[in-house]
Amino acid sequence: MDLLRFITAGSVDDGKSTLIGRLLYDSKNILIDQLEALEKSTKNRADGSVDLALLTDGLRAEREQGITIDVAYRYFSTPKRKFIIADAPGHVQYTRNMITGASNANLIIILVDARQGVVEQTRRHSIIASLLKIKHVVVAVNKMDLVEYSQDVYNNILIDYAEVAKQLGLNNVTYIPISALNGDNIVDKSETITWYEGKPLLEFLEAVEIDNDINLTDARFQVQLVIRPQTEELHDYRGYAGTVTSGTYKVGDKVIVLPAGIETTISTLEAGGKQVDEVFAPQSVTIQLADDIDISRGDSIVKSDNQPQVSNELDVLLCWMDDKPLIPGNKYYLQHGSRLVRSVVKHVEYKLDVNSLQQQPVEGNVKLNEVVKAVIKTASPVVFDSYDKLSENGSAVLIDETSNSTVAAVLIK
Amino acid sequence: MSQYHLNYLEQLEAESIYIFREVAAQFEKPALLFSGGKDSIVMVHLARKAFAPGKIPFPLVHVDTGHNFPEALQFRDWLANEVGATLVVRKVEDTIKQRSLTEPKGKFPSRNWLQTYTLLDTIEEFAFDACIGGARRDEEKARAKERIFSVRDEFGQWNPKLQRPELWNIYNGRIHKGENVRVFPISNWTELDIWNYIRKEKIDLPSIYFAHDREVIEHEGQLVAMSEYVQPSADDKIITKRVRYRTVGDMTCTAAVESNASNLDEVIEEIIATRISERGETRIDDKVTEAAMEDRKKNGYF
Ligand SMILES: Nc1nc2c(ncn2[C@@H]2O[C@H](COP(=O)(O)OP(=O)(O)O)[C@@H](O)[C@H]2O)c(=O)[nH]1
Ligand SMILES: [Mg+2]
């Protein structure tokens, strides 16, 4: 059985939490005691129904205010697939939490309230989906019950969103008309929305092809730590532990250690403590090399005939995630997988307007939730690919040296 | 499907191993909080794989409430020895004496809440900067919100409104002096994943996870094992039932489930069929308020 990670996004009150509750409820993944707790905390409901959103709004502040502040993760499975859902907050001020959930998603469900149509948050979350290169996008037009299940309303939203998708280069978009509240087209096909010919949401999620999402061509591996047992029988053992983030490696492969640029060959490969002939993404493995080379955490081991870029000047897109503004010229740690280097944001070129999607000049400092194009200079070289080509090796974060906070998502151009 | 395919258990395993290695590399003094339950046993198994052929590069730390199942303690000692790890045991009993804390009273006097004191003292004693815990996000809805690297202040407190963004596979473990990080490598595993993995990897468990006869009393529909720590009332009937445990915590706050499942296949079959959650069925202490877990975490709990 395979695993699909998805996130629900969209503006506040578009029905994200309700949708997840409905998915779990209708697929019988809610257990009795959880349901009882839900019923107990659903007060003052005129129709006596339960508030499915409370299943994921797990913090006291969230329940009190009826909003989602941080991502909640929920788990469920059907006979076909196992799912990890991230329920994201819709408020602009919590966008960084939404990005946290989106960064590991194979698929994003963007909810649109049928009465409101495409709004600013729909665009903002779509931009994030496009920046993060989330492979599959579902636009779920929700609250169809409040627009009398009108096909015209639905079609107009499709036309509007198609424009956004075109601008953003999102080309894998699926549209589904739903009512999360009533369960239309969530697990079962809606009996009311007869004009819709596609699959209900769950069926789509079960079937969407994700096997090809992992790049098996460009082999990338970063050393997390060096394993040196230094016992009598393993006296000379030096294993480089890390994850194959993309591609495959075989014993005997000619490899080059970067950024040092030293060539050698793979002598043994281990996965889970057992020797194997070949490893592949996303396995956690240990590599031994034929030659004794000085290698430490953060170094990359790649194949000699397929090399990433090595540079200490990076063209990047930054999603700024801190309450303190980005001040050009400030120093930050750049963490790229397991490689941590000091860096300085040298120059901010432009910012992306989330509504018009146009490039705009930056006046003053870069504020929370702004997306900007910038140039970063690092104290020592970074071994990377462009995010668009190989996201696994093109992503990083910036860390404030004084507060230790993670302040920006970095997408290397 | 290509030959290069990981099923969901293998994917979860790879992710957890990655996290263990990040902890070992980023922190000076990590510790694995070992409870004796199945989740921490699986964690030890994963840690072993992460650092093979080397040893696990941090100690197993057990905060011993004094209310443990003897079977779990025996197993703990056996396992630590088996994997060649250092075992650190610190007793809630001692903290109660040293700090003259008030023992909880009642029929099922749970020291669950007092564990936090011992834990924080132990963190200080050894200057642990990272504590690896076996909490899973599917267990409880406050846990469903916590990051994998969860920064705690010098009082061990979690601030759910101020969590660091945690993107891709990049874990920021940088902290100020006095702070520490709680790390949850099996965040994304469900109860069923744990059981399926135990079966797949043939991991040994303490015997109480399988059906056995035990003296219990019934309390609000739950079966609580008789032990010296439980204070039954006059009208409680002590009965012998065939039970197994779904979680293993304190004898005073963990309930047994009636079962005939004597091997992993049978246990897994029952878990799949059950309509009650793990905590709901087995924890006596969690029903107090809806925010019980969030409140405890805010105060330094695991
Ligand atoms: N009529 C109707 N109401 C809905 C539907 N989906 C959600 N809602 C309501 O919209 C409100 C916001 O839902 P919630 O799930 O909290 O939205 P979120 O902010 O996107 O997570 C709640 O009152 C829901 O009951 C729907 O399909 N139809
Ligand atoms: Mg919500």
Side-chain angles (χ1 to χ4, degrees):
Chain A
M1 193 156 54
D2 60 7
L3 179 60
L4 177 81
R5 299 180 196 237
F6 68 91
I7 180 167
T8 53
S11 192
V12 186
D13 282 348
D14 282 352
K16 299 176 288 298
S17 301
T18 309
L19 170 69
I20 289 174
R22 176 57 70 185
L23 263 178
L24 297 170
Y25 188 81
D26 285 0
S27 63
K28 311 221 162 24
N29 274 283
I30 300 182
L31 301 172
I32 294 168
D33 54 310
Q34 296 168 330
L35 201 58
E36 280 170 1
L38 197 65
E39 282 163 356
K40 229 168 74 188
S41 53
T42 304
K43 297 169 214 124
N44 311 330
R45 287 230 143 188
D47 56 356
S49 61
V50 296
D51 184 354
L52 292 169
L54 292 177
L55 270 175
T56 52
D57 288 338
L59 299 175
R60 193 193 285 277
E62 294 179 323
R63 284 193 299 276
E64 280 166 9
Q65 300 170 47
I67 58 163
T68 307
I69 294 174
D70 210 332
V71 230
Y73 295 90
R74 295 287 314 206
Y75 303 81
F76 79 107
S77 50
T78 69
K80 298 212 174 84
R81 215 167 235 176
K82 185 179 160 63
F83 300 95
I84 300 182
I85 322 174
D87 180 24
H91 285 86
V92 189
Q93 75 188 105
Y94 303 128
T95 303
R96 58 182 166 214
N97 297 335
M98 183 266 173
I99 297 179
T100 289
S103 67
N104 286 315
N106 312 88
L107 179 148
I108 184 168
I109 300 176
I110 297 177
L111 276 96
V112 177
D113 184 329
R115 296 168 305 174
Q116 314 285 334
V118 175
V119 296
E120 179 175 335
Q121 276 303 76
T122 321
R123 287 204 189 86
R124 189 185 290 272
H125 287 171
S126 301
I127 291 181
I128 291 169
S130 109
L131 290 176
L132 294 179
K133 293 273 171 268
I134 299 181
K135 305 256 178 1
H136 312 272
V137 178
V138 175
V139 173
V141 180
N142 189 29
K143 308 199 184 182
M144 288 301 295
D145 54 304
L146 297 181
V147 295
E148 288 157 359
Y149 297 102
S150 154
Q151 186 173 9
D152 285 345
V153 172
Y154 175 76
N155 281 341
N156 285 333
I157 293 173
L158 248 62
I159 293 166
D160 285 352
Y161 193 87
E163 191 56 37
V164 176
K166 201 173 123 203
Q167 268 182 309
L168 291 172
L170 295 172
N171 39 30
N172 213 344
V173 185
T174 304
Y175 299 89
I176 307 180
I178 63 167
S179 165
L181 193 68
N182 297 342
D184 289 287
N185 283 337
I186 308 296
V187 170
D188 301 311
K189 208 163 160 49
S190 168
E191 287 171 11
T192 327
I193 311 175
T194 44
W195 43 264
Y196 169 73
E197 281 165 3
K199 290 175 183 157
L201 180 63
L202 182 61
E203 218 173 284
F204 177 79
L205 296 174
E206 286 182 324
V208 58
E209 179 68 55
I210 51 170
D211 254 10
N212 303 327
D213 289 1
I214 293 176
N215 173 324
L216 290 168
T217 317
D218 307 297
R220 300 290 181 261
F221 173 95
Q222 238 187 356
V223 177
Q224 282 185 275
L225 83 167
V226 184
I227 294 178
R228 289 173 55 221
Q230 293 177 302
T231 54
E232 228 159 87
E233 67 270 30
L234 293 165
H235 195 268
D236 295 322
Y237 184 98
R238 260 182 101 80
Y240 303 103
T243 291
V244 181
T245 51
S246 55
T248 66
Y249 290 88
K250 271 203 182 77
V251 171
D253 276 347
K254 284 202 176 11
V255 292
I256 180 164
V257 179
L258 295 173
I262 303 164
E263 292 200 84
T264 178
T265 50
I266 293 179
S267 60
T268 69
L269 288 168
E270 287 158 79
K274 290 199 190 77
Q275 290 214 359
V276 289
D277 294 328
E278 190 171 22
V279 295
F280 55 92
Q283 280 183 308
S284 278
V285 305
T286 306
I287 297 181
Q288 285 185 275
L289 299 173
D291 303 288
D292 229 345
I293 310 172
D294 176 15
I295 299 179
S296 46
R297 172 171 165 83
D299 289 346
S300 291
I301 299 175
V302 301
K303 294 187 190 171
S304 302
D305 59 5
N306 180 335
Q307 297 188 25
Q309 303 177 55
V310 180
S311 172
N312 45 17
E313 195 159 288
L314 308 173
D315 267 347
V316 301
L317 278 180
L318 291 181
C319 306
W320 195 252
M321 304 191 294
D322 202 37
D323 298 325
K324 285 197 289 178
L326 159 67
I327 301 172
N330 268 15
K331 295 193 179 66
Y332 299 93
Y333 279 113
L334 179 108
Q335 188 173 347
H336 173 245
S338 50
R339 189 171 185 81
L340 189 73
V341 295
R342 300 193 72 193
S343 72
V344 56
V345 179
K346 268 191 24 187
H347 173 64
V348 178
E349 283 174 26
Y350 60 80
K351 84 174 181 203
L352 272 185
D353 181 279
V354 294
N355 261 313
S356 64
L357 306 172
Q358 301 298 314
Q359 302 177 4
Q360 291 185 335
V362 183
E363 284 137 30
N365 297 326
V366 176
K367 291 182 280 298
L368 178 65
N369 294 327
E370 290 188 336
V371 178
V372 297
K373 168 84 195 319
V375 179
I376 292 180
K377 190 148 179 9
T378 58
S380 47
V382 177
V383 180
F384 67 95
D385 292 276
S386 92
Y387 188 90
D388 287 356
K389 178 189 159 207
L390 192 56
S391 57
E392 292 83 351
N393 199 37
S395 49
V397 299
L398 292 184
I399 298 168
D400 184 319
E401 293 184 339
T402 56
S403 69
N404 291 330
S405 305
T406 304
V407 293
V410 181
L411 309 169
I412 306 174
K413 292 296 272 184
Chain B
M1 203 182 296
S2 88
Q3 66 192 106
Y4 304 118
H5 182 84
L6 294 186
N7 70 29
Y8 74 100
L9 277 181
E10 292 163 333
Q11 284 188 44
L12 291 173
E13 178 190 63
E15 176 182 284
S16 300
I17 290 176
Y18 178 83
I19 295 163
F20 271 111
R21 288 168 167 178
E22 279 305 289
V23 178
Q26 289 195 34
F27 296 92
E28 268 161 41
K29 282 212 85 181
L32 190 154
L33 300 178
F34 186 81
S35 74
K38 62 182 187 309
D39 297 328
S40 48
I41 293 167
V42 165
M43 287 216 300
V44 170
H45 185 83
L46 290 164
R48 205 180 188 179
K49 284 197 175 192
F51 304 106
K55 292 225 165 100
I56 299 175
F58 33 74
L60 312 185
V61 172
H62 185 221
V63 174
D64 182 351
T65 58
H67 290 173
N68 293 289
F69 289 90
E71 295 91 336
L73 294 182
Q74 272 165 25
F75 190 88
R76 170 196 79 186
D77 295 342
W78 172 82
L79 184 65
N81 184 50
E82 170 79 12
V83 303
T86 316
L87 178 67
V88 172
V89 178
R90 287 294 176 272
K91 298 190 160 91
V92 173
E93 189 83 45
D94 297 334
T95 317
I96 293 177
K97 281 191 200 126
Q98 282 157 21
R99 298 187 168 273
S100 56
L101 305 176
T102 306
E103 275 268 18
K105 299 195 180 59
K107 194 166 181 175
F108 307 110
S110 167
R111 285 176 170 171
N112 195 315
W113 164 248
L114 295 181
Q115 283 183 87
T116 306
Y117 292 89
T118 314
L119 174 63
L120 296 180
D121 284 350
T122 311
I123 289 173
E124 202 174 312
E125 177 187 348
F126 291 91
F128 290 134
D129 49 3
C131 294
I132 306 164
R136 309 187 319 262
R137 285 171 176 159
D138 80 320
E139 279 180 89
E140 203 279 330
K141 54 183 189 257
R143 293 202 152 148
K145 294 258 161 185
E146 195 165 6
R147 299 280 187 262
I148 289 176
F149 271 40
S150 179
V151 181
R152 303 295 183 91
D153 67 13
E154 54 191 316
F155 301 102
Q157 300 181 108
W158 179 50
N159 186 344
K161 282 183 160 178
L162 247 177
Q163 299 200 86
R164 283 182 187 168
E166 192 165 79
L167 307 178
W168 299 293
N169 62 345
I170 304 175
Y171 297 101
N172 169 9
R174 301 190 65 81
I175 47 173
H176 295 290
K177 224 174 161 44
E179 292 175 341
N180 67 79
V181 178
R182 304 288 166 83
V183 180
F184 303 108
I186 56 168
S187 286
N188 285 325
W189 298 55
T190 64
E191 181 190 20
L192 192 57
D193 298 337
I194 293 284
W195 282 107
N196 279 325
Y197 188 72
I198 288 170
R199 176 163 64 182
K200 171 174 173 276
E201 298 284 307
K202 303 190 174 66
I203 299 171
D204 287 318
L205 289 182
S207 56
I208 51 177
Y209 280 110
F210 303 98
H212 57 282
D213 290 328
R214 186 176 284 270
E215 286 192 337
V216 294
I217 57 174
E218 229 176 288
H219 170 74
E220 294 177 3
Q222 290 182 309
L223 302 177
V224 187
M226 265 311 296
S227 68
E228 53 186 299
Y229 319 115
V230 170
Q231 314 291 330
S233 2
D235 55 351
D236 277 326
K237 272 207 272 333
I238 298 174
I239 39 178
T240 300
K241 291 235 167 177
R242 196 146 184 85
V243 299
R244 66 174 166 82
Y245 282 87
R246 212 172 145 185
T247 58
V248 169
D250 279 3
M251 295 193 79
T252 53
C253 61
T254 316
V257 293
E258 258 191 285
S259 167
N260 275 314
S262 56
N263 58 45
L264 280 173
D265 287 339
E266 288 168 11
V267 170
I268 289 173
E269 221 169 279
E270 286 190 4
I271 303 267
I272 291 173
T274 187
R275 301 301 304 151
I276 306 181
S277 77
E278 181 180 290
R279 287 197 97 76
E281 187 167 33
T282 64
R283 291 289 165 136
I284 302 173
D285 59 338
D286 238 23
K287 300 186 168 164
V288 195
T289 71
E290 214 191 353
M293 176 62 77
E294 180 179 346
D295 292 343
R296 263 180 291 172
K297 278 181 173 290
K298 281 181 181 163
N299 281 299
Y301 192 74
F302 299 113

